[in-house]
Amino acid sequence: MFRAAIRPLGIFATVSSLILIGLPIAVASSQNASLCGWDSAPGWVQRENAKPGDPNWDRGIPIQYAGDFAGKEAKMHKGGPLRSWLAPSVSASGPEGWFSAPSATCDQNIGLHISGSGVPVTIKVFRMGFYGGAGARLISETTTKPIPHYAVNGPSSPPESLLTTDWPAAWDFNVTDQTPPGQYLIRLGDRNGDSNFVPIMVTNPESKSPVTFISSILTWQAYNEWGGYSLYKGPDRTRGTRAMVVSFNRPYDGDGAGQFRYMEFPIVRLAEKLGIDLNYITDLELNKNVSSLANTKSIVYGGHGEYWTTQMRVALDSAVARGINLISFGGNAGYNRPRLQAKDRQLVMWRGAKNDPNRKNPVLATTRWRSSPVKNPESLLLGAQYVGLGVNGDYTIAHPLRWPFSVMKHPALLRGVVGREVDSPLYAVGPAVEDLAWAEIKLHGQPITAMATYYTNSKNAGVLDIATNGWTCAIDDVCPWNPAHFEQTQMDVRLVTEEILKGLSRGPLGLWRPALIDIPKRDKAPRDLLVG
């Protein structure tokens, strides 16, 4: 089981006009990290990726997309069909599992809870990276004793509708010198059915890597429909039956990997291809660990980091104020403010519903960051904010000769990259920003302008919001809502992403690439276009 060394630490933090006192922040012990003897000297990612990879890590496990009212859409990938859409179920084909904790560091053991079909389960441990293009390295392989199929608990009474499991731990993931920091996918399979993944992150609290990658596991869980309930839909696939509380004590639906494979892996793979040393953490490290960003120069989010707790927002605001860069390679980041409970194993999101007993409590209310009683729009940090979903469009590059778009081979247009959710600075309060790219689109019949933005602050931190969650998945052409990106779009998105990642390793962006302002500071939003 999970053995963590953390201690409570009271803090004083300002969020908009709200003063938060004594939030339960914890500091992870880094004493055990040195016991593993991990290679953590500069260049460790490059040396790790020189090891042989396994190109068969994902064979037979197609990517599945789970999103608000989108279901899981099959698409063609590398000439073959992805797994067909399955209605939300508690008995998908093949063994399934979940970990006692979403991350661990050296000398910790994390229990893997598995439901099978009465036969032994094969467990393959993969570290995700570049590895010469293979995408993953096989760390170990083992086979368990026969594992039965277990029942599901709940759901509880609405509106919470909490569904969970209490499957026993069938195997322990041991973090040793053989499991260096990074994102891992554990592949479960047996002789009776398909295989499924279970994700886990290995972190290094002593990391001095210049770039921190944050895995958005709260967003994965919010959209997780396993068992029929997510924070968006219930068994009848409508918002009216959705859950207000969801549990980490259950597998992820679809391929079991959450949103990692299409919203984060393309960024991770490129960074490791470039040999950029990454500090790997999840939302929960940022939520609990006041020192998780202490040694970094830049923070990177993938394509969909929608759910930020109060502690996360405080940590990010503070980091940028100190001169640390923040990059969102997506849209709809920092939009919702959830709350964690049950020792961080349950995610709560009432969305300001009238039956929320904490609806008017500025500390405990779970609602949009821009809404009452919080009133701290994400645009104040990101420069732009979410305006809606279900759109498609092309990005016109505002200044093709400026970093980072100056590396494009086809500078006029990025076709099909705008969607499925988009941001804009034009309908929000926020700092003065530079227009990097824009798209004229229609949102529920209204003409609007989506826009990627960039600004630098007085401490020379650079904040870049790419403003579409179609960007990250376009790198590898794995956007399930867009069956095929143009090859030139894939190439140019990849080149621009690499240019941004390389720039982040240099420290504060404002020292060598100050923003050139196109959109002035907005102290009052002209209108909030949000309809989603």
Side-chain angles (χ1 to χ4, degrees), residues 174-225:
N174 302 313
V175 184
T176 69
D177 60 334
Q178 300 302 306
T179 53
Q183 176 68 56
Y184 285 72
L185 291 182
I186 313 303
R187 179 170 178 146
L188 306 181
D190 62 29
R191 64 173 182 260
N192 292 334
D194 295 333
S195 299
N196 293 288
F197 287 120
V198 187
I200 189 167
M201 181 81 80
V202 174
T203 67
N204 178 8
E206 296 179 349
S207 174
K208 300 299 190 295
S209 297
V211 179
T212 294
F213 182 85
I214 301 177
S215 189
S216 299
I217 61 170
L218 300 187
T219 302
W220 301 0
Q221 195 59 252
Y223 285 89
N224 181 15
E225 297 176 29

Side-chain angles (χ1 to χ4, degrees), residues 270-350:
L270 277 187
E272 297 220 342
K273 176 185 177 182
L274 294 170
I276 295 173
D277 294 340
L278 294 178
N279 172 34
Y280 282 98
I281 67 173
T282 73
D283 291 333
L284 289 189
E285 275 73 46
L286 192 62
N287 181 72
K288 295 188 299 185
N289 186 350
V290 72
S291 64
S292 60
L293 301 177
N295 299 317
T296 199
K297 297 178 181 178
S298 300
I299 302 163
V300 172
Y301 274 93
H304 199 195
E306 180 178 343
Y307 285 75
W308 293 358
T309 64
T310 296
Q311 292 92 326
M312 290 171 62
R313 178 68 183 270
V314 168
L316 293 168
D317 281 336
S318 174
V320 171
R322 296 195 310 271
I324 296 174
N325 304 313
L326 173 62
I327 308 296
S328 172
F329 283 113
N332 192 213
Y335 170 62
N336 278 315
R337 190 184 81 159
R339 179 166 48 84
L340 290 160
Q341 64 183 25
K343 298 181 179 179
D344 295 344
R345 298 301 292 172
Q346 294 176 5
L347 182 68
V348 181
M349 190 70 207
W350 288 82

Side-chain angles (χ1 to χ4, degrees), residues 327-487:
I327 308 296
S328 172
F329 283 113
N332 192 213
Y335 170 62
N336 278 315
R337 190 184 81 159
R339 179 166 48 84
L340 290 160
Q341 64 183 25
K343 298 181 179 179
D344 295 344
R345 298 301 292 172
Q346 294 176 5
L347 182 68
V348 181
M349 190 70 207
W350 288 82
R351 303 180 192 279
K354 292 182 178 180
N355 50 1
D356 176 9
N358 298 301
R359 179 169 59 95
K360 296 183 179 181
N361 186 320
V363 176
L364 299 178
T366 54
T367 186
R368 302 181 302 186
W369 272 100
R370 69 185 74 167
S371 299
S372 178
V374 185
K375 296 183 179 179
N376 189 15
E378 64 268 34
S379 55
L380 292 176
L381 174 62
L382 293 170
Q385 70 182 27
Y386 174 58
V387 292
L389 79 164
V391 302
N392 292 283
D394 309 325
Y395 257 159
T396 297
I397 309 308
H399 308 287
L401 299 181
R402 296 181 189 172
W403 182 92
F405 290 92
S406 55
V407 298
M408 288 175 56
K409 301 298 184 182
H410 312 87
L413 203 67
L414 283 171
R415 299 176 64 189
V417 77
V418 177
R420 179 175 183 266
E421 297 173 310
V422 295
D423 301 345
S424 179
L426 301 180
Y427 319 102
V429 297
V433 296
E434 180 177 337
D435 172 10
L436 295 180
W438 55 271
E440 296 290 350
I441 55 179
K442 284 193 174 182
L443 179 65
H444 298 275
Q446 298 183 66
I448 68 164
T449 302
M451 187 181 294
T453 59
Y454 174 66
Y455 75 91
T456 49
N457 66 12
S458 61
K459 295 293 185 179
N460 294 308
V463 178
L464 193 158
D465 177 16
I466 212 72
T468 168
N469 59 19
W471 182 277
T472 297
C473 54
I475 294 171
D476 291 337
D477 190 24
V478 289
C479 300
W481 62 85
N482 190 339
H485 278 95
F486 297 96
E487 288 187 11

Side-chain angles (χ1 to χ4, degrees), residues 31-105:
Q31 181 179 2
N32 289 342
S34 59
L35 298 178
C36 274
W38 286 327
D39 177 5
S40 59
W44 73 267
V45 162
Q46 184 177 16
R47 292 187 290 275
E48 168 63 27
N49 278 266
K51 299 173 183 178
D54 186 342
N56 296 316
W57 66 271
D58 62 345
R59 177 170 291 178
I61 310 183
I63 295 174
Q64 288 195 5
Y65 172 68
D68 189 11
F69 288 93
K72 303 176 187 69
E73 304 168 28
K75 75 181 282 286
M76 301 300 292
H77 181 52
K78 296 182 179 178
L82 298 191
R83 184 184 301 177
S84 299
W85 175 80
L86 298 172
S89 171
V90 296
S91 57
S93 181
E96 298 181 283
W98 50 270
F99 276 107
S100 300
S103 62
T105 189

